[in-house]
Amino acid sequence: MTVLKMLGVLAALYLLALTGFFVFQRSFLYYPSQDHFSIREAHANSSFKEFSVKTEDGLDLTAWYAPATSKPFTFVFFHGNGDSLHTASPIADPYIAAGYGFLIAEYRGYSGLPGKPTEDGLYSDARAYINGLVAQGVKSENIILFGHSLGTGVATQMAEEFQVVGVMLLAPYRSIPEIAQLNFPCFPAKYLALDRLENVKKIKNIHVPLLIVNGAMDQLVPPTDGRHLYELANEPKEFHSLPGRGHNDAFDDFAVLSLDWANRLQAKKSISH
């Protein structure tokens, strides 16, 4: 085989791989579990109840919701790409115990729900849950948006669309195209990404109190991403880097920080009124 033929074969293989990456890219971004668990089967907090909504494109979705008992705020949690209602439910426990409301928003295609996840689809799902809470009497001004990993991109989008009381981001990234490029350096991944979730563009549009936290040992999202988003963000803002913590093991430490932050936020809001 001549050199030119060999180069031609290699180029053809590369283009084939590139096409495969583009066509199947969402399977690298979303890892939806099709398993459905009831609240009881998941051994989730007994305060949870199912919370049903219909999205603007007609999908019937279900979240788990524990109403506030003694505090005015309700957290709306957007989980990472490999989580589900079942796996995310323990995250809510310290917030519910403190008297806050907590809703675990579940995405289309996850936990046995209909549909397939896309960026626009996740935004539609999030809107439906927030509008559903408002319809039940929860003021948007008493909602704290809480995103982890993939969910930080949903939280920042909702912060642009709704007047909320605060935003919390755990393990946030600058953008999905940049994460894609980091993981697939052999492809022009950042130019091919269909779902972009660009926190780096949206963070400047958030004008409510913001808490950003990274695990200093995060191996999935560069810890520097959180620091950079913090530097771009408007005041009031707060940043913490958790020593020894990675991408998925920071929730206990984050709960302590975020509950203190939320209590201070509540105190400030009470004084202002």
Side-chain angles (χ1 to χ4, degrees), residues 23-148:
V23 171
F24 297 107
Q25 61 178 276
R26 286 190 170 123
S27 66
F28 302 128
L29 177 58
Y30 305 109
Y31 300 96
S33 169
Q34 296 298 320
D35 296 331
H36 170 75
F37 290 85
S38 68
I39 293 171
R40 177 175 293 183
E41 289 170 336
H43 303 289
N45 196 296
S46 60
S47 297
F48 275 128
K49 61 181 181 180
E50 291 193 343
F51 186 85
S52 298
V53 299
K54 184 182 288 290
T55 65
E56 56 202 14
D57 55 342
L59 291 182
D60 292 309
L61 302 182
T62 302
W64 288 356
Y65 172 48
T69 54
S70 61
K71 299 290 179 63
F73 299 154
T74 294
F75 294 87
V76 177
F77 178 58
F78 304 108
H79 65 65
N81 65 347
D83 274 316
S84 64
L85 289 172
H86 174 214
T87 59
S89 62
I91 296 166
D93 288 343
Y95 304 91
I96 295 173
Y100 290 102
F102 202 99
L103 183 140
I104 305 174
E106 189 53 297
Y107 311 131
R108 60 187 62 203
Y110 282 74
S111 296
L113 295 179
K116 294 183 179 181
T118 64
E119 178 179 6
D120 288 341
L122 266 56
Y123 297 158
S124 177
D125 303 344
R127 289 185 200 105
Y129 291 125
I130 295 173
N131 286 327
L133 284 174
V134 171
Q136 290 203 5
V138 178
K139 296 180 180 179
S140 67
E141 295 87 353
N142 284 334
I143 288 175
I144 294 176
L145 301 171
F146 175 9
H148 172 241

Side-chain angles (χ1 to χ4, degrees), residues 6-21:
M6 185 177 297
L7 290 174
V9 170
L10 291 174
L13 291 173
Y14 177 81
L15 288 174
L16 182 63
L18 182 63
T19 301
F21 168 78

Side-chain angles (χ1 to χ4, degrees), residues 135-182:
Q136 290 203 5
V138 178
K139 296 180 180 179
S140 67
E141 295 87 353
N142 284 334
I143 288 175
I144 294 176
L145 301 171
F146 175 9
H148 172 241
S149 190
L150 174 71
T152 62
V154 183
T156 56
Q157 177 66 30
M158 293 304 103
E160 286 191 335
E161 298 184 20
F162 291 89
Q163 182 59 49
V164 297
V165 70
V167 179
M168 308 193 314
L169 306 178
L170 175 59
Y173 46 85
R174 285 170 47 86
S175 72
I176 290 300
E178 291 180 51
I179 294 296
Q181 193 63 62
L182 185 66

